Amino acid sequence: MIRVQLPSPLLALARLQGELLLELGDEASPATVLDAIEARYPMLRGTVRDHATGRRRAFVRYYACERDLSHDSPDTPLPPEVQRGEEPFLIVGAMSGG
């Protein structure tokens, strides 16, 4: 079971509260997590990944086990702790500005 934590604006858009729980098997990756989220909550399509390219949007980051996974391949398997549901997969809106 994969535990996913989304930013508050995305939770509100999907009318969700708290963590998402996804059953994805043993080889879950950021790409399979996002595929499952977008299939279950179509209103979130295009919010994390670009519609045309499928790439992560510039101001969105992925974290797991205190590590930034944003620049890893989207097909890289998630850490075992995330796969087992011990640690969440975090999707975070990056902050910018001066």
Side-chain angles (χ1 to χ4, degrees), residues 45-60:
R45 288 185 185 139
T47 60
V48 177
R49 298 187 287 189
D50 182 83
H51 277 293
T53 65
R55 291 185 180 181
R56 175 185 54 82
R57 292 201 173 272
F59 291 101
V60 174

